[in-house]
Amino acid sequence: MTKSDKKTVTEAVDHDTYTVTVKPLTFKLDGEKDFTLTVDKAKIATATDGLKDFLYNGSETSYVNDAVAYTGEDVATPAVQYPVLNADGTVKKEDGKVVYAELASDMYNVVSIKNSDGKAVKAAKDAGTYTVKIALTDKASKNYELKDAEFTFMVQKYKPFLDVEPPAWYASPLETAKMNNYVNGVGNTGLFSPNADITRADAVCVLFNMAGGKLNADGEFGFTEDTGYVTGFSDVDGHAYFAKALAWAKAAGVANGSNGQFRPYDKITREEFASLLANFAKVKGDYVAVDADAVLGSATDYTAWAKANGIMGNNGSAIDGTGNITRAQVAAMAVNYQPEKL
């Protein structure tokens, strides 16, 4: 087999036109027969739709609704992504969504970055829309072809939830909690309901998210199709949205319940959440008991621990350990204890 430049090769890989010579071994031909084979360039169409549903986490660049969170620093140019094709050339989809792949960074160079005024900039920083132009490297261009060489992305102030405004005391910790994936909104509404009381089940979900799948549970933590997750609590459906989190919490010793029940839909008090958080700290191996009387005069050991470690009561007001804790307060305590995700 020979390439267009007459060089002999054993396989057709790179873009080119090949001449294949067939020589009979176990059959007869009237002389040698040749045919040509052309390997076309693969066409790559860049896209930004694949940037959705990710969050900026402060250490690596990722995105929300095609927008990068403003940090005050230069923003890394988003990775070039393109839609994956099926064998028949149609765009691949999973659950109705287009599947995207990331173009290897050594296959292209960033030619230019322009802001919304059309001016060339060295890097995206200020809020606004940026247009990125790329070009394939010489090596990549041998076998690939760009259908479009530009894509746009936005830099905008990150707002975790529609009902959380910056003036609120909880805006900053909620932003961190959302970035760290400790908390989620209310369904698909984009809201958080920060001042609403939180249930015991949702509080455990926050702790499970804080564990990030990196803290192992020593106890029973199984799952079956029939019964769902094994939580160890008689009043919990193993298929409930919080069942996996609660199964982990029970197995790890974070949640214990009472009389074999957990009461997942009950509200949780401040001192009860402090207790769960203290148990979580024990799982991590960084819990150190404090003198409750010395810290607060009178309080549960875990509430005093939370106060002594700056996890709760930082605004100088009364702890009110027996009062229900709000969703915003849980997020704040989670961030105060573990400001960076595992």
Side-chain angles (χ1 to χ4, degrees):
M1 178 166 54
T2 57
K3 298 169 58 178
S4 59
D5 59 5
K6 306 304 181 182
K7 290 183 179 180
T8 301
V9 293
T10 58
E11 56 184 358
V13 177
D14 295 327
H15 164 64
D16 207 336
T17 298
Y18 299 82
T19 299
V20 181
T21 300
V22 179
K23 295 181 179 180
L25 293 177
T26 59
F27 56 93
K28 292 183 179 181
L29 281 176
D30 184 14
E32 295 181 351
K33 299 294 183 182
D34 295 343
F35 67 89
T36 59
L37 172 67
T38 300
V39 177
D40 289 330
K41 290 185 178 182
K43 291 180 173 60
I44 299 173
T46 59
T48 55
D49 289 343
L51 302 179
K52 292 181 179 179
D53 303 327
F54 291 88
L55 295 173
Y56 178 78
N57 63 19
S59 62
E60 57 184 337
T61 304
S62 45
Y63 313 90
V64 177
N65 296 327
D66 299 339
V68 183
Y70 171 76
T71 64
E73 304 293 336
D74 288 350
V75 174
T77 302
V80 177
Q81 296 183 318
Y82 61 94
V84 177
L85 301 182
N86 296 310
D88 61 0
T90 58
V91 176
K92 184 177 182 179
K93 294 185 178 182
E94 292 181 356
D95 298 327
K97 296 182 178 180
V98 176
V99 177
Y100 292 88
E102 188 172 302
L103 187 63
S105 59
D106 61 356
M107 289 182 61
Y108 67 95
N109 297 310
V110 175
V111 176
S112 65
I113 304 175
K114 294 183 178 181
N115 60 22
S116 54
D117 294 328
K119 295 181 179 180
V121 294
K122 292 183 177 180
K125 179 178 179 179
D126 299 327
T129 300
Y130 293 85
T131 300
V132 180
K133 184 177 181 179
I134 66 170
L136 295 178
T137 61
D138 291 342
K139 182 179 179 180
S141 62
K142 291 181 180 180
N143 294 309
Y144 297 89
E145 178 182 327
L146 281 177
K147 292 182 65 177
D148 56 271
E150 293 185 346
F151 65 91
T152 61
F153 70 98
M154 292 179 61
V155 175
Q156 65 181 26
K157 182 64 179 177
Y158 177 61
K159 184 177 181 181
F161 302 103
L162 297 176
D163 55 350
V164 177
E165 296 295 339
W169 70 265
Y170 47 74
S172 180
L174 257 181
E175 179 175 335
T176 301
K178 177 63 174 173
M179 288 180 178
N180 290 350
N181 295 322
Y182 296 167
V183 299
N184 298 302
V186 181
N188 295 318
T189 64
L191 305 175
F192 186 72
S193 298
N195 295 311
D197 294 339
I198 195 170
T199 64
R200 292 167 57 84
D202 285 344
V204 167
C205 287
V206 172
L207 294 170
F208 182 62
N209 292 339
M210 291 172 67
K214 297 180 180 180
L215 295 180
N216 294 325
D218 295 328
E220 182 65 30
F221 184 24
F223 174 84
T224 65
E225 292 292 340
D226 292 336
T227 61
Y229 286 98
V230 178
T231 66
F233 297 110
S234 61
D235 59 344
V236 174
D237 180 355
H239 293 99
Y241 73 89
F242 54 82
K244 183 177 182 179
L246 189 54
W248 164 83
K250 180 66 165 63
V254 173
N256 299 310
S258 178
N259 298 320
Q261 296 186 332
F262 186 72
R263 309 190 321 278
Y265 300 106
D266 285 1
K267 308 304 183 195
I268 188 170
T269 66
R270 290 176 177 80
E271 62 184 14
E272 286 174 335
F273 184 70
S275 176
L276 290 176
L277 197 56
N279 288 339
F280 178 71
K282 292 177 181 178
V283 173
K284 291 179 61 178
D286 61 6
Y287 174 82
V288 178
V290 300
D291 185 335
D293 290 334
V295 174
L296 289 173
S298 61
T300 64
D301 291 342
Y302 293 146
T303 303
W305 166 81
K307 171 62 178 176
N309 286 280
I311 299 170
M312 68 188 302
N314 296 330
N315 61 2
S317 60
I319 294 295
D320 187 19
T322 58
N324 290 343
I325 191 169
T326 66
R327 291 166 57 83
Q329 290 169 339
V330 164
M333 287 181 64
V335 169
N336 288 342
Y337 169 68
Q338 185 176 285
E340 296 183 1
K341 67 179 182 179
L342 294 180

PDB file of all heavy atoms in Angstrom, residues 56-85:
ATOM      1  N   TYR A  56     -18.393  26.638  39.228  1.00  0.00           N
ATOM      2  CA  TYR A  56     -17.047  27.101  39.512  1.00  0.00           C
ATOM      3  C   TYR A  56     -16.733  26.774  40.968  1.00  0.00           C
ATOM      4  O   TYR A  56     -17.494  27.121  41.866  1.00  0.00           O
ATOM      5  CB  TYR A  56     -16.950  28.612  39.294  1.00  0.00           C
ATOM      6  CG  TYR A  56     -15.590  29.150  39.619  1.00  0.00           C
ATOM      7  CD1 TYR A  56     -14.541  29.001  38.720  1.00  0.00           C
ATOM      8  CD2 TYR A  56     -15.335  29.761  40.831  1.00  0.00           C
ATOM      9  CE1 TYR A  56     -13.283  29.461  39.015  1.00  0.00           C
ATOM     10  CE2 TYR A  56     -14.081  30.231  41.136  1.00  0.00           C
ATOM     11  CZ  TYR A  56     -13.055  30.083  40.223  1.00  0.00           C
ATOM     12  OH  TYR A  56     -11.805  30.529  40.534  1.00  0.00           O
ATOM     13  N   ASN A  57     -15.626  26.081  41.229  1.00  0.00           N
ATOM     14  CA  ASN A  57     -15.340  25.668  42.605  1.00  0.00           C
ATOM     15  C   ASN A  57     -14.111  26.341  43.195  1.00  0.00           C
ATOM     16  O   ASN A  57     -13.651  25.965  44.265  1.00  0.00           O
ATOM     17  CB  ASN A  57     -15.191  24.146  42.705  1.00  0.00           C
ATOM     18  CG  ASN A  57     -14.016  23.626  41.904  1.00  0.00           C
ATOM     19  OD1 ASN A  57     -13.113  24.379  41.554  1.00  0.00           O
ATOM     20  ND2 ASN A  57     -14.009  22.343  41.621  1.00  0.00           N
ATOM     21  N   GLY A  58     -13.568  27.325  42.518  1.00  0.00           N
ATOM     22  CA  GLY A  58     -12.473  28.086  43.095  1.00  0.00           C
ATOM     23  C   GLY A  58     -11.098  27.536  42.805  1.00  0.00           C
ATOM     24  O   GLY A  58     -10.098  28.225  42.962  1.00  0.00           O
ATOM     25  N   SER A  59     -10.989  26.290  42.376  1.00  0.00           N
ATOM     26  CA  SER A  59      -9.679  25.714  42.121  1.00  0.00           C
ATOM     27  C   SER A  59      -9.495  25.302  40.674  1.00  0.00           C
ATOM     28  O   SER A  59      -8.394  25.163  40.186  1.00  0.00           O
ATOM     29  CB  SER A  59      -9.455  24.496  43.023  1.00  0.00           C
ATOM     30  OG  SER A  59     -10.417  23.498  42.747  1.00  0.00           O
ATOM     31  N   GLU A  60     -10.581  25.098  39.999  1.00  0.00           N
ATOM     32  CA  GLU A  60     -10.511  24.767  38.585  1.00  0.00           C
ATOM     33  C   GLU A  60     -11.690  25.434  37.891  1.00  0.00           C
ATOM     34  O   GLU A  60     -12.707  25.707  38.502  1.00  0.00           O
ATOM     35  CB  GLU A  60     -10.539  23.251  38.369  1.00  0.00           C
ATOM     36  CG  GLU A  60     -11.770  22.581  38.965  1.00  0.00           C
ATOM     37  CD  GLU A  60     -11.728  21.074  38.816  1.00  0.00           C
ATOM     38  OE1 GLU A  60     -11.027  20.599  37.928  1.00  0.00           O
ATOM     39  OE2 GLU A  60     -12.417  20.387  39.584  1.00  0.00           O
ATOM     40  N   THR A  61     -11.535  25.713  36.625  1.00  0.00           N
ATOM     41  CA  THR A  61     -12.582  26.440  35.910  1.00  0.00           C
ATOM     42  C   THR A  61     -13.670  25.498  35.437  1.00  0.00           C
ATOM     43  O   THR A  61     -13.407  24.520  34.767  1.00  0.00           O
ATOM     44  CB  THR A  61     -12.002  27.173  34.695  1.00  0.00           C
ATOM     45  OG1 THR A  61     -10.944  28.022  35.151  1.00  0.00           O
ATOM     46  CG2 THR A  61     -13.049  28.030  34.028  1.00  0.00           C
ATOM     47  N   SER A  62     -14.875  25.763  35.849  1.00  0.00           N
ATOM     48  CA  SER A  62     -16.032  25.046  35.354  1.00  0.00           C
ATOM     49  C   SER A  62     -17.164  26.059  35.292  1.00  0.00           C
ATOM     50  O   SER A  62     -16.982  27.222  35.620  1.00  0.00           O
ATOM     51  CB  SER A  62     -16.355  23.843  36.241  1.00  0.00           C
ATOM     52  OG  SER A  62     -16.291  24.180  37.592  1.00  0.00           O
ATOM     53  N   TYR A  63     -18.375  25.623  34.891  1.00  0.00           N
ATOM     54  CA  TYR A  63     -19.306  26.627  34.405  1.00  0.00           C
ATOM     55  C   TYR A  63     -20.754  26.406  34.833  1.00  0.00           C
ATOM     56  O   TYR A  63     -21.175  25.308  35.128  1.00  0.00           O
ATOM     57  CB  TYR A  63     -19.234  26.673  32.878  1.00  0.00           C
ATOM     58  CG  TYR A  63     -17.792  26.700  32.428  1.00  0.00           C
ATOM     59  CD1 TYR A  63     -17.093  25.534  32.185  1.00  0.00           C
ATOM     60  CD2 TYR A  63     -17.118  27.908  32.357  1.00  0.00           C
ATOM     61  CE1 TYR A  63     -15.746  25.563  31.853  1.00  0.00           C
ATOM     62  CE2 TYR A  63     -15.782  27.950  32.027  1.00  0.00           C
ATOM     63  CZ  TYR A  63     -15.108  26.780  31.775  1.00  0.00           C
ATOM     64  OH  TYR A  63     -13.782  26.812  31.472  1.00  0.00           O
ATOM     65  N   VAL A  64     -21.521  27.496  34.839  1.00  0.00           N
ATOM     66  CA  VAL A  64     -22.950  27.457  35.094  1.00  0.00           C
ATOM     67  C   VAL A  64     -23.658  28.146  33.934  1.00  0.00           C
ATOM     68  O   VAL A  64     -23.412  29.321  33.667  1.00  0.00           O
ATOM     69  CB  VAL A  64     -23.301  28.183  36.407  1.00  0.00           C
ATOM     70  CG1 VAL A  64     -24.804  28.175  36.602  1.00  0.00           C
ATOM     71  CG2 VAL A  64     -22.637  27.504  37.583  1.00  0.00           C
ATOM     72  N   ASN A  65     -24.525  27.400  33.240  1.00  0.00           N
ATOM     73  CA  ASN A  65     -25.281  27.976  32.127  1.00  0.00           C
ATOM     74  C   ASN A  65     -24.375  28.734  31.148  1.00  0.00           C
ATOM     75  O   ASN A  65     -24.629  29.877  30.774  1.00  0.00           O
ATOM     76  CB  ASN A  65     -26.372  28.907  32.660  1.00  0.00           C
ATOM     77  CG  ASN A  65     -27.390  28.146  33.477  1.00  0.00           C
ATOM     78  OD1 ASN A  65     -27.673  26.998  33.202  1.00  0.00           O
ATOM     79  ND2 ASN A  65     -27.927  28.783  34.501  1.00  0.00           N
ATOM     80  N   ASP A  66     -23.312  28.098  30.738  1.00  0.00           N
ATOM     81  CA  ASP A  66     -22.364  28.670  29.780  1.00  0.00           C
ATOM     82  C   ASP A  66     -21.660  29.911  30.326  1.00  0.00           C
ATOM     83  O   ASP A  66     -21.103  30.692  29.567  1.00  0.00           O
ATOM     84  CB  ASP A  66     -23.058  29.051  28.470  1.00  0.00           C
ATOM     85  CG  ASP A  66     -23.689  27.848  27.803  1.00  0.00           C
ATOM     86  OD1 ASP A  66     -23.268  26.727  28.119  1.00  0.00           O
ATOM     87  OD2 ASP A  66     -24.584  28.022  26.982  1.00  0.00           O
ATOM     88  N   ALA A  67     -21.672  30.117  31.621  1.00  0.00           N
ATOM     89  CA  ALA A  67     -21.025  31.293  32.196  1.00  0.00           C
ATOM     90  C   ALA A  67     -19.993  30.870  33.223  1.00  0.00           C
ATOM     91  O   ALA A  67     -20.189  29.924  33.964  1.00  0.00           O
ATOM     92  CB  ALA A  67     -22.066  32.200  32.853  1.00  0.00           C
ATOM     93  N   VAL A  68     -18.881  31.596  33.258  1.00  0.00           N
ATOM     94  CA  VAL A  68     -17.832  31.353  34.231  1.00  0.00           C
ATOM     95  C   VAL A  68     -18.015  32.325  35.377  1.00  0.00           C
ATOM     96  O   VAL A  68     -18.335  33.495  35.174  1.00  0.00           O
ATOM     97  CB  VAL A  68     -16.445  31.551  33.584  1.00  0.00           C
ATOM     98  CG1 VAL A  68     -15.347  31.227  34.573  1.00  0.00           C
ATOM     99  CG2 VAL A  68     -16.320  30.700  32.340  1.00  0.00           C
ATOM    100  N   ALA A  69     -17.812  31.871  36.599  1.00  0.00           N
ATOM    101  CA  ALA A  69     -17.987  32.752  37.748  1.00  0.00           C
ATOM    102  C   ALA A  69     -16.873  33.779  37.828  1.00  0.00           C
ATOM    103  O   ALA A  69     -15.699  33.464  37.652  1.00  0.00           O
ATOM    104  CB  ALA A  69     -18.018  31.925  39.031  1.00  0.00           C
ATOM    105  N   TYR A  70     -17.247  35.037  38.081  1.00  0.00           N
ATOM    106  CA  TYR A  70     -16.276  36.112  38.237  1.00  0.00           C
ATOM    107  C   TYR A  70     -15.540  35.933  39.557  1.00  0.00           C
ATOM    108  O   TYR A  70     -16.153  35.730  40.604  1.00  0.00           O
ATOM    109  CB  TYR A  70     -16.996  37.460  38.221  1.00  0.00           C
ATOM    110  CG  TYR A  70     -16.101  38.625  38.585  1.00  0.00           C
ATOM    111  CD1 TYR A  70     -15.177  39.119  37.667  1.00  0.00           C
ATOM    112  CD2 TYR A  70     -16.165  39.206  39.847  1.00  0.00           C
ATOM    113  CE1 TYR A  70     -14.341  40.177  37.999  1.00  0.00           C
ATOM    114  CE2 TYR A  70     -15.346  40.266  40.189  1.00  0.00           C
ATOM    115  CZ  TYR A  70     -14.432  40.736  39.265  1.00  0.00           C
ATOM    116  OH  TYR A  70     -13.613  41.782  39.604  1.00  0.00           O
ATOM    117  N   THR A  71     -14.212  36.012  39.507  1.00  0.00           N
ATOM    118  CA  THR A  71     -13.408  35.850  40.715  1.00  0.00           C
ATOM    119  C   THR A  71     -12.519  37.052  40.976  1.00  0.00           C
ATOM    120  O   THR A  71     -11.880  37.144  42.018  1.00  0.00           O
ATOM    121  CB  THR A  71     -12.489  34.621  40.590  1.00  0.00           C
ATOM    122  OG1 THR A  71     -11.557  34.829  39.527  1.00  0.00           O
ATOM    123  CG2 THR A  71     -13.289  33.364  40.324  1.00  0.00           C
ATOM    124  N   GLY A  72     -12.437  37.988  40.022  1.00  0.00           N
ATOM    125  CA  GLY A  72     -11.528  39.111  40.162  1.00  0.00           C
ATOM    126  C   GLY A  72     -10.154  38.807  39.607  1.00  0.00           C
ATOM    127  O   GLY A  72      -9.291  39.685  39.524  1.00  0.00           O
ATOM    128  N   GLU A  73      -9.930  37.567  39.224  1.00  0.00           N
ATOM    129  CA  GLU A  73      -8.657  37.147  38.650  1.00  0.00           C
ATOM    130  C   GLU A  73      -8.875  36.706  37.206  1.00  0.00           C
ATOM    131  O   GLU A  73     -10.008  36.520  36.759  1.00  0.00           O
ATOM    132  CB  GLU A  73      -8.059  35.986  39.467  1.00  0.00           C
ATOM    133  CG  GLU A  73      -7.881  36.289  40.942  1.00  0.00           C
ATOM    134  CD  GLU A  73      -6.825  37.352  41.205  1.00  0.00           C
ATOM    135  OE1 GLU A  73      -5.945  37.510  40.334  1.00  0.00           O
ATOM    136  OE2 GLU A  73      -6.888  37.999  42.263  1.00  0.00           O
ATOM    137  N   ASP A  74      -7.777  36.529  36.470  1.00  0.00           N
ATOM    138  CA  ASP A  74      -7.884  36.037  35.104  1.00  0.00           C
ATOM    139  C   ASP A  74      -8.561  34.671  35.104  1.00  0.00           C
ATOM    140  O   ASP A  74      -8.277  33.819  35.954  1.00  0.00           O
ATOM    141  CB  ASP A  74      -6.495  35.905  34.475  1.00  0.00           C
ATOM    142  CG  ASP A  74      -5.871  37.265  34.164  1.00  0.00           C
ATOM    143  OD1 ASP A  74      -6.602  38.265  34.262  1.00  0.00           O
ATOM    144  OD2 ASP A  74      -4.679  37.307  33.834  1.00  0.00           O
ATOM    145  N   VAL A  75      -9.470  34.483  34.167  1.00  0.00           N
ATOM    146  CA  VAL A  75     -10.219  33.237  34.062  1.00  0.00           C
ATOM    147  C   VAL A  75      -9.597  32.360  32.985  1.00  0.00           C
ATOM    148  O   VAL A  75      -9.286  32.826  31.888  1.00  0.00           O
ATOM    149  CB  VAL A  75     -11.703  33.518  33.713  1.00  0.00           C
ATOM    150  CG1 VAL A  75     -12.450  32.219  33.458  1.00  0.00           C
ATOM    151  CG2 VAL A  75     -12.350  34.302  34.833  1.00  0.00           C
ATOM    152  N   ALA A  76      -9.392  31.111  33.297  1.00  0.00           N
ATOM    153  CA  ALA A  76      -8.851  30.189  32.306  1.00  0.00           C
ATOM    154  C   ALA A  76      -9.828  30.026  31.155  1.00  0.00           C
ATOM    155  O   ALA A  76     -11.044  29.980  31.361  1.00  0.00           O
ATOM    156  CB  ALA A  76      -8.565  28.824  32.946  1.00  0.00           C
ATOM    157  N   THR A  77      -9.310  29.980  29.946  1.00  0.00           N
ATOM    158  CA  THR A  77     -10.172  29.797  28.780  1.00  0.00           C
ATOM    159  C   THR A  77     -10.867  28.443  28.866  1.00  0.00           C
ATOM    160  O   THR A  77     -10.216  27.436  29.130  1.00  0.00           O
ATOM    161  CB  THR A  77      -9.344  29.857  27.485  1.00  0.00           C
ATOM    162  OG1 THR A  77      -8.684  31.114  27.433  1.00  0.00           O
ATOM    163  CG2 THR A  77     -10.233  29.697  26.270  1.00  0.00           C
ATOM    164  N   PRO A  78     -12.184  28.396  28.675  1.00  0.00           N
ATOM    165  CA  PRO A  78     -12.899  27.116  28.735  1.00  0.00           C
ATOM    166  C   PRO A  78     -12.321  26.097  27.762  1.00  0.00           C
ATOM    167  O   PRO A  78     -11.843  26.442  26.685  1.00  0.00           O
ATOM    168  CB  PRO A  78     -14.328  27.496  28.346  1.00  0.00           C
ATOM    169  CG  PRO A  78     -14.431  28.945  28.673  1.00  0.00           C
ATOM    170  CD  PRO A  78     -13.078  29.525  28.406  1.00  0.00           C
ATOM    171  N   ALA A  79     -12.349  24.851  28.178  1.00  0.00           N
ATOM    172  CA  ALA A  79     -11.885  23.783  27.297  1.00  0.00           C
ATOM    173  C   ALA A  79     -12.777  23.694  26.070  1.00  0.00           C
ATOM    174  O   ALA A  79     -13.980  23.936  26.144  1.00  0.00           O
ATOM    175  CB  ALA A  79     -11.894  22.453  28.046  1.00  0.00           C
ATOM    176  N   VAL A  80     -12.183  23.376  24.927  1.00  0.00           N
ATOM    177  CA  VAL A  80     -12.950  23.236  23.687  1.00  0.00           C
ATOM    178  C   VAL A  80     -13.670  21.894  23.713  1.00  0.00           C
ATOM    179  O   VAL A  80     -13.062  20.852  23.924  1.00  0.00           O
ATOM    180  CB  VAL A  80     -12.027  23.310  22.460  1.00  0.00           C
ATOM    181  CG1 VAL A  80     -12.817  23.079  21.178  1.00  0.00           C
ATOM    182  CG2 VAL A  80     -11.323  24.659  22.423  1.00  0.00           C
ATOM    183  N   GLN A  81     -14.967  21.937  23.513  1.00  0.00           N
ATOM    184  CA  GLN A  81     -15.770  20.723  23.507  1.00  0.00           C
ATOM    185  C   GLN A  81     -16.503  20.601  22.182  1.00  0.00           C
ATOM    186  O   GLN A  81     -16.797  21.596  21.531  1.00  0.00           O
ATOM    187  CB  GLN A  81     -16.764  20.733  24.671  1.00  0.00           C
ATOM    188  CG  GLN A  81     -16.073  20.723  26.033  1.00  0.00           C
ATOM    189  CD  GLN A  81     -17.081  20.659  27.165  1.00  0.00           C
ATOM    190  OE1 GLN A  81     -18.099  21.331  27.127  1.00  0.00           O
ATOM    191  NE2 GLN A  81     -16.804  19.840  28.155  1.00  0.00           N
ATOM    192  N   TYR A  82     -16.791  19.378  21.805  1.00  0.00           N
ATOM    193  CA  TYR A  82     -17.496  19.150  20.545  1.00  0.00           C
ATOM    194  C   TYR A  82     -18.460  17.990  20.711  1.00  0.00           C
ATOM    195  O   TYR A  82     -18.246  17.095  21.536  1.00  0.00           O
ATOM    196  CB  TYR A  82     -16.499  18.856  19.414  1.00  0.00           C
ATOM    197  CG  TYR A  82     -15.648  17.624  19.650  1.00  0.00           C
ATOM    198  CD1 TYR A  82     -16.027  16.386  19.149  1.00  0.00           C
ATOM    199  CD2 TYR A  82     -14.461  17.704  20.362  1.00  0.00           C
ATOM    200  CE1 TYR A  82     -15.257  15.257  19.360  1.00  0.00           C
ATOM    201  CE2 TYR A  82     -13.674  16.582  20.583  1.00  0.00           C
ATOM    202  CZ  TYR A  82     -14.080  15.359  20.072  1.00  0.00           C
ATOM    203  OH  TYR A  82     -13.317  14.236  20.293  1.00  0.00           O
ATOM    204  N   PRO A  83     -19.558  17.991  19.946  1.00  0.00           N
ATOM    205  CA  PRO A  83     -20.554  16.920  20.066  1.00  0.00           C
ATOM    206  C   PRO A  83     -20.019  15.600  19.527  1.00  0.00           C
ATOM    207  O   PRO A  83     -19.382  15.549  18.475  1.00  0.00           O
ATOM    208  CB  PRO A  83     -21.728  17.441  19.228  1.00  0.00           C
ATOM    209  CG  PRO A  83     -21.112  18.411  18.278  1.00  0.00           C
ATOM    210  CD  PRO A  83     -19.975  19.045  18.996  1.00  0.00           C
ATOM    211  N   VAL A  84     -20.270  14.540  20.273  1.00  0.00           N
ATOM    212  CA  VAL A  84     -19.844  13.195  19.868  1.00  0.00           C
ATOM    213  C   VAL A  84     -20.829  12.650  18.836  1.00  0.00           C
ATOM    214  O   VAL A  84     -22.048  12.836  18.971  1.00  0.00           O
ATOM    215  CB  VAL A  84     -19.782  12.262  21.090  1.00  0.00           C
ATOM    216  CG1 VAL A  84     -19.418  10.841  20.667  1.00  0.00           C
ATOM    217  CG2 VAL A  84     -18.772  12.790  22.100  1.00  0.00           C
ATOM    218  N   LEU A  85     -20.331  11.984  17.821  1.00  0.00           N
ATOM    219  CA  LEU A  85     -21.175  11.426  16.772  1.00  0.00           C
ATOM    220  C   LEU A  85     -21.283   9.914  16.903  1.00  0.00           C
ATOM    221  O   LEU A  85     -20.349   9.235  17.346  1.00  0.00           O
ATOM    222  CB  LEU A  85     -20.606  11.765  15.390  1.00  0.00           C
ATOM    223  CG  LEU A  85     -20.450  13.244  15.052  1.00  0.00           C
ATOM    224  CD1 LEU A  85     -19.913  13.396  13.636  1.00  0.00           C
ATOM    225  CD2 LEU A  85     -21.773  13.987  15.197  1.00  0.00           C
TER     226      LEU A  85
END
